[in-house]
């Protein structure tokens, strides 16, 4: 019967397995399938008793894995077959600690043993029925020919190359791919270790132009989108980590299947992302991706770890990259890279949303933080019946409004508060920055250290727009705890955790509290409208926030 084929209509999701025993490997294969993997990549060198040789003990180890793997027909088989749309097992032979993968030292791995013995182990793995074996470019030509001559019915070989240093130019990658394709590989695999997210554009270029099925990605947090966007650019396989087995740069199987639904991504999918540094804390993908699907909009929202804004916008100019959220610390700096800026964002001096105009590719900057935060605060005051419901004035009119932080979020909140008639006082570690914002809102500026001793008016509003209290440093608050009783309402822009220590202490002091989750939801609704040109499914998005945040 013909061996398994990786060529399917959609990208295959593969889980790397690194168990220390055959028994645990078999258990992990079952777990991987239950968590949504189409394929598993068995790292034989992680088995404690394994030696890369064709001895009888190792024969039985591989045979045991083959008999019990969850993609085989019921009853077990020594041949890892293609069954019901599932993919079998890719077996590798030596360890690469950088990606928990199996590589000799000269390909960036850790294996220093006898090369002949290592290749014999690969041959044995293939003879026992591994759907694919993964061999390095250096030895590929002879081994690929041998496998194809021996298994003319369909023996499959992945030819791979692990790159050291910066990702090569498109031209050099093209030459590398040509060499790999010339070996007769069924699939080629290129793995880099990008120092900057802009290098990944070369990876996407490779995927979209390869003449044979290709796997290409980069390691680490900056390389995450090379996995998530792999299906869009034609990649044959995307890796996902099992629950409890975190691997830097790999999404979890659950994220691939539930958050991103990679099986739905195609070449027409529009890419949106959060431009930030760091970016791992963001819950944007959990909200935007289900909202896109609910509205039947073909888009994906991904985290983008960006080190250099100028270089990022110079490289990612394709209309496929249709828009961005902008997070810390770039909301002010990004304004200069926008071709046009909406008047509200211009008055604030900060942008949190960018749209690429389809007609000419120009970047248009907006700010949805302002209305998102102020509307959340006003609604909370109204719900507490703090004002007469019939009043046409904002409940913030005339109130002292204390803003901690004069960065992008602080600027949006301060401008919004001023627009509602509040008297704004800004505290920031950079007094010059606070004074600049105070001029915009006709307010006062004070050094941040004085906030610990500041006594607000009774009934004042406090808004924390600093990262203080954000996970993992959750035990700090920006003000003196004894002053919280003087505030009518305390708002915290931090939303991880949802109930920060500041909000807990303010609640205990009797103040109305508003979580940053409310601001996040409302600004995200505004972003959805801008991203898609459609009305956001507000109730659906609120349900997601209530259930998953």
């Amino acid at each position: 019967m013909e061996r398994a084929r990786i060529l399917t209509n959609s990208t295959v999701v593969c889980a790397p397995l690194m168990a220390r025993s055959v028994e645990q490997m078999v258990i992990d294969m079952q777990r991987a399938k239950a968590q949504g993997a189409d394929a598993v990549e068995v790292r034989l060198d992680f088995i404690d008793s394994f030696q890369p040789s064709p001895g009888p003990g190792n024969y039985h180890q591989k045979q045991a894995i083959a008999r019990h793997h969850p993609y085989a027909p019921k009853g077990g088989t020594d041949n890892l077959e293609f069954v019901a749309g599932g993919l079998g097992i890719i077996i590798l032979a030596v360890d690469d600690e950088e990606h928990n993968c199996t590589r000799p030292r000269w390909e960036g791995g850790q294996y220093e043993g006898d090369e002949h013995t290592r290749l014999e182990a690969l041959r044995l793995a293939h003879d026992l029925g591994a759907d694919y074996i993964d061999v390095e470019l250096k030895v590929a030509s002879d081994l690929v020919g041998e496998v194809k001559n021996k298994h003319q019915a369909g023996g499959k070989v992945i030819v791979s190359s692990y790159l050291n240093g910066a990702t090569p130019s498109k031209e050099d990658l093209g030459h590398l791919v040509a060499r790999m394709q010339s070996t007769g590989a069924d699939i080629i695999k290129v793995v880099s270790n990008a120092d900057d997210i802009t290098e990944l554009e070369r990876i996407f270029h490779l995927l979209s132009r390869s003449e044979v099925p290709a796997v290409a990605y980069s390691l680490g947090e900056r390389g995450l989108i090379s996995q998530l966007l792999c299906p869009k650019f034609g990649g044959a396989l995307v890796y996902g980590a099992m629950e409890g087995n975190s691997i830097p740069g790999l999404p979890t199987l659950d994220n691939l299947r539930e958050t991103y639904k990679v099986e739905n991504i195609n070449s027409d999918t529009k890419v949106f992302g959060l431009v930030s540094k760091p970016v791992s804390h963001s819950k944007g993908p959990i909200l935007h991706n289900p909202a896109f699907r609910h509205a039947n909009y073909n888009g994906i929202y991904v985290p983008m770890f960006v080190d250099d804004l100028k270089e990022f916008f110079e490289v990612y100019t394709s209309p496929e990259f249709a828009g961005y959220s902008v997070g810390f610390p770039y909301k002010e700096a990004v304004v200069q890279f926008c071709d046009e800026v909406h008047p509200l964002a211009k008055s604030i001096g900060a942008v949190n949303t960018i749209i690429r105009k389809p007609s000419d590719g120009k970047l248009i900057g907006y700010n949805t933080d302002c209305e998102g935060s102020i509307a959340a605060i006003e609604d909370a005051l109204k719900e507490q019946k703090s004002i007469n419901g019939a009043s046409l004035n904002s409940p913030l009119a005339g109130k002292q409004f204390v803003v901690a932080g004069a960065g992008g979020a602080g600027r949006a909140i301060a401008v919004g508060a001023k627009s509602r008639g509040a008297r704004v006082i800004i505290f920031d570690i950079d007094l010059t920055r606070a004074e600049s914002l105070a001029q915009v809102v006709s307010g006062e500026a004070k050094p941040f250290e004085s906030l610990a001793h500041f006594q607000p008016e009774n009934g004042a509003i406090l808004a924390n727009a600093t990262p203080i209290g954000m996970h993992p440093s959750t035990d700090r608050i920006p003000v003196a705890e004894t002053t919280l009783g003087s505030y009518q309402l305390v708002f915290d822009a931090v939303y991880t955790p949802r109930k920060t220590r500041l909000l807990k202490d303010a609640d205990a002091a009797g103040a109305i509290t508003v979580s940053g989750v409310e601001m996040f939801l409302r600004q995200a609704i505004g972003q959805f409208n801008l991203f898609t040109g459609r009305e956001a499914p507000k109730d659906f998005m609120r349900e997601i926030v209530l259930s998953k945040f």
Side-chain angles (χ1 to χ4, degrees):
M1 188 177 293
E2 185 178 356
R3 291 277 180 90
R5 293 185 62 82
I6 205 167
L7 296 174
T8 61
N9 291 329
S10 60
T11 302
V12 169
V13 174
C14 181
L17 304 185
M18 296 156 284
R20 293 293 183 181
S21 68
V22 172
E23 294 76 15
Q24 187 60 48
M25 196 71 80
V26 171
I27 292 171
D28 285 352
M29 283 191 284
Q30 300 287 348
R31 289 178 56 220
K33 185 175 184 182
Q35 291 178 32
D38 301 309
V40 289
E41 190 171 86
V42 176
R43 314 293 172 72
L44 293 177
D45 276 8
F46 277 79
I47 299 174
D48 287 334
S49 58
F50 177 80
Q51 294 296 323
S53 65
N58 291 327
Y59 178 94
H60 293 303
Q61 285 178 329
K62 297 187 189 76
Q63 190 178 55
I65 293 172
R67 287 181 183 277
H68 293 92
H69 84 89
Y71 305 96
K74 291 183 179 179
T77 178
D78 286 345
N79 189 34
L80 310 185
E81 309 274 2
F82 179 79
V83 182
L87 182 68
I89 301 178
I90 303 168
I91 297 185
L92 309 179
V94 258
D95 182 25
D96 169 5
E97 290 183 355
E98 285 186 305
H99 186 223
N100 295 322
C101 193
T102 63
R103 298 287 154 207
R105 184 169 290 277
W106 46 260
E107 279 286 339
Q110 302 301 311
Y111 179 64
E112 295 181 299
D114 176 71
E115 185 61 19
H116 173 75
T117 304
R118 191 181 71 85
L119 294 177
E120 283 300 316
L122 283 172
R123 291 184 177 98
L124 178 59
H126 191 274
D127 291 344
L128 281 171
D131 295 300
Y132 294 84
I133 60 170
D134 186 325
V135 300
E136 296 80 19
L137 176 60
K138 182 176 179 180
V139 297
S141 294
D142 292 340
L143 198 57
V144 172
E146 175 187 324
V147 167
K148 292 194 178 292
N149 288 333
K150 190 172 183 179
H151 299 282
Q152 294 184 7
K156 305 299 176 187
V157 180
I158 299 171
V159 173
S160 61
S161 179
Y162 278 63
L163 307 175
N164 294 318
T167 306
S169 67
K170 290 179 182 178
E171 182 179 4
D172 288 344
L173 279 176
H175 294 322
L176 174 64
V177 167
R179 287 175 54 208
M180 298 173 79
Q181 291 176 164
S182 70
T183 64
D186 297 288
I187 301 169
I188 63 169
K189 177 177 170 182
V190 177
V191 182
S192 69
N193 197 354
D195 293 323
D196 193 279
I197 194 172
T198 54
E199 296 177 35
L200 305 183
E201 193 267 343
R202 297 167 227 165
I203 295 291
F204 300 142
H205 183 269
L206 182 161
L207 286 173
S208 63
R209 285 162 176 76
S210 177
E211 295 177 4
V212 301
V215 179
Y217 59 90
S218 189
L219 308 175
E221 189 174 8
R222 288 166 178 81
L224 177 60
I225 67 168
S226 66
Q227 295 287 350
L228 299 177
L229 300 183
C230 168
K232 174 176 175 57
F233 295 101
L237 188 150
V238 57
Y239 286 93
M242 288 199 304
E243 183 180 352
N245 185 31
S246 176
I247 300 174
L250 289 195
T252 64
L253 291 171
D254 181 68
N255 278 339
L256 288 174
R257 291 302 193 192
E258 297 302 320
T259 301
Y260 297 103
K261 296 281 187 185
V262 291
E263 63 271 21
N264 295 336
I265 301 171
N266 56 43
S267 60
D268 295 327
T269 301
K270 294 295 184 184
V271 179
F272 301 88
L274 170 64
V275 173
S276 187
K277 180 183 179 180
V279 75
S280 58
H281 67 283
S282 173
K283 295 185 182 293
I286 300 173
L287 180 59
H288 281 292
N289 287 303
F292 285 155
R293 293 192 293 270
H294 183 81
N296 198 29
Y297 181 82
N298 189 7
I300 182 173
Y301 183 96
V302 297
M304 296 176 169
F305 193 118
V306 174
D307 293 285
D308 187 310
L309 286 175
K310 183 176 185 293
E311 189 173 356
F312 176 81
F313 288 115
E314 286 177 349
V315 169
Y316 289 99
T317 58
S318 165
E320 302 298 324
F321 289 83
Y324 307 98
S325 303
V326 183
F328 180 85
Y330 295 133
K331 293 184 180 184
E332 295 167 88
V334 81
V335 172
Q336 64 181 298
F337 300 104
C338 296
D339 298 297
E340 300 174 20
V341 180
H342 185 272
L344 175 61
K346 186 176 290 187
S347 69
I348 294 169
V351 161
N352 80 317
T353 309
I354 295 176
I355 303 300
R356 188 185 304 280
K357 288 175 67 175
S359 58
D360 56 16
K362 287 186 176 181
L363 299 177
I364 315 301
Y366 298 87
N367 193 298
T368 65
D369 281 338
C370 181
E371 283 303 309
S373 58
I374 296 303
I377 292 170
E378 286 182 319
D379 287 350
L381 289 170
K382 292 172 183 176
E383 286 171 10
Q384 292 291 324
K385 298 181 180 178
S386 298
I387 64 164
N388 185 326
S391 173
L392 297 178
N393 294 327
S394 167
L396 296 176
K399 284 190 174 294
Q400 186 183 68
F401 196 108
V402 178
V403 180
R411 294 187 72 88
I413 293 167
V415 170
K418 170 62 177 176
S419 73
R420 302 309 203 265
R423 297 177 288 114
V424 182
I425 305 177
I426 302 120
F427 293 80
D428 195 83
I429 56 174
D430 184 339
L431 183 57
T432 301
R433 184 166 70 167
E435 289 171 342
S436 174
L437 177 56
Q439 272 194 316
V440 173
V441 298
S442 303
E444 296 180 57
K446 294 181 180 293
F448 188 80
E449 57 268 23
S450 67
L451 181 56
H453 312 290
F454 177 75
Q455 182 58 51
E457 297 177 1
N458 285 331
I461 308 295
L462 171 65
N464 176 39
T466 75
I468 292 175
M470 181 184 292
H471 179 81
S473 302
T474 59
D475 60 342
R476 298 174 58 213
I477 64 174
V479 299
E481 187 176 346
T482 55
T483 66
L484 288 173
S486 298
Y487 291 104
Q488 181 183 8
L489 181 145
V490 174
F491 166 80
D492 197 342
V494 172
Y495 65 88
T496 52
R498 180 171 185 161
K499 193 78 169 179
T500 61
R501 182 187 161 189
L502 174 62
L503 295 183
K504 290 177 182 177
D505 290 351
D507 188 59
I512 302 167
T513 58
V514 179
S515 168
V517 170
E518 276 297 323
M519 173 182 172
F520 175 79
L521 170 62
R522 292 165 190 248
Q523 65 81 30
I525 287 171
Q527 288 183 334
F528 183 98
N529 296 339
L530 292 167
F531 286 160
T532 66
R534 305 178 185 179
E535 189 69 25
K538 296 179 183 178
D539 292 341
F540 176 79
M541 293 175 76
R542 181 168 290 279
E543 287 175 11
I544 293 174
V545 167
L546 291 175
S547 63
K548 296 190 175 182
F549 281 53

